[in-house]
Amino acid sequence: MRSGTLPSTAYDDVPYTRGGAVDRTEVGVLVRSAVDGDAAAWKALVEGMSPLVWSVVRAHRLSDADGHEVYQTVWFRFAQHLGRLREPDKAGAWLASTARHECLKVLKGLTRLTLTDDPLVLDRASEERTPEQSLIDAEEEADQAERVRRLWQEFEELGERCRQLLRVLIASPPPSYLEVSAALGIAVGSIGPLRQRCLRRLRARMDARGTV
């Protein structure tokens, strides 16, 4: 980059399911612009592709601290290699593959794996609601929370491969199959059929337990 310095990667507050939703057809253009020192292009790449990086990190069930470290490392390495990418249009696959590599490196160095769960965030109730409505809303929220809890309980009973794949696929914007392949080491042609099998297994478990 023209300035001779690496761009900031301080975007670790970007939520899992939010981002700039960069159009993949624009990725190559943004990469080339970022190489030329365009700070806005770099920011668009980070904001648009961060959900993909986070989805890979969370698919490997790292702790919050390890996850943030991997996230920062991935973007640092991306900045280092920005001008040397052979296929700028496939930057998403590069990020996914690098994130997977860094996650596996962290897991290999751990003496034990600490599993963490994201808290369920509920919408704040309006202060203008009547006590009766507030009670109804609270009961509905409790029911919804229980349904979500049961869903994730059944999800955790799936095989590791299914859990990793589904975690990556729920990123927003959805990753391409090429990016999923790079993130998880699954052949592109196997992703669709495996996804369907995993969803059928999850649905079967939910039906068997009466989880709706």
Side-chain angles (χ1 to χ4, degrees):
M1 303 183 75
R2 286 198 194 112
S3 63
T5 59
L6 295 176
S8 170
T9 57
Y11 290 92
D12 56 352
D13 60 339
V14 177
Y16 181 36
T17 57
R18 191 191 73 193
V22 60
D23 191 326
R24 287 190 180 83
T25 61
E26 300 176 356
V27 170
V29 175
L30 290 173
V31 169
R32 296 181 186 92
S33 296
V35 171
D36 290 336
D38 188 337
W42 171 259
K43 183 177 181 180
L45 283 169
V46 175
E47 291 182 345
M49 306 300 284
S50 281
L52 170 63
V53 176
W54 276 122
S55 71
V56 177
V57 171
R58 297 187 179 184
H60 288 81
R61 304 303 301 273
L62 300 183
S63 67
D64 287 344
D66 288 336
H68 278 80
E69 182 176 349
V70 166
Y71 173 83
Q72 293 287 346
T73 299
V74 169
W75 284 108
F76 179 75
R77 300 206 186 289
F78 185 65
Q80 285 182 313
H81 291 81
L82 196 60
R84 291 177 281 168
L85 295 180
R86 295 180 179 179
E87 298 179 278
D89 294 343
K90 297 181 180 179
W94 190 98
L95 286 165
S97 179
T98 302
R100 174 174 179 259
H101 173 77
E102 293 298 326
C103 287
L104 293 177
K105 186 162 65 173
V106 169
L107 291 175
K108 185 177 180 180
L110 292 176
T111 56
R112 63 186 180 87
L113 178 61
T114 302
L115 301 180
T116 60
D117 292 314
D118 293 330
L120 179 65
V121 180
L122 300 176
D123 292 335
R124 182 182 301 174
S126 171
E127 296 179 356
E128 297 180 355
R129 289 172 179 159
T130 64
E132 293 80 4
Q133 186 60 50
S134 296
L135 177 60
I136 293 173
D137 290 344
E139 291 176 347
E140 290 178 348
E141 289 175 352
D143 288 342
Q144 177 64 18
E146 178 62 17
R147 286 194 293 271
V148 171
R149 187 192 68 78
R150 290 179 181 176
L151 171 62
W152 283 107
Q153 185 177 45
E154 299 303 331
F155 176 86
E156 292 298 334
E157 295 298 323
L158 295 175
E160 178 67 17
R161 204 58 164 166
C162 281
R163 294 199 303 272
Q164 285 191 333
L165 177 62
L166 295 179
R167 284 182 184 278
V168 170
L169 288 174
I170 62 175
S172 178
S176 68
Y177 275 16
L178 181 62
E179 292 164 349
V180 175
S181 175
L184 301 179
I186 302 174
V188 171
S190 300
I191 294 173
L194 178 57
R195 173 180 177 273
Q196 291 301 319
R197 288 198 299 271
C198 292
L199 290 176
R200 282 198 297 269
R201 290 173 188 171
L202 179 59
R203 183 65 189 182
R205 294 189 64 87
M206 292 170 61
D207 290 343
R209 301 290 181 88
T211 303
V212 295

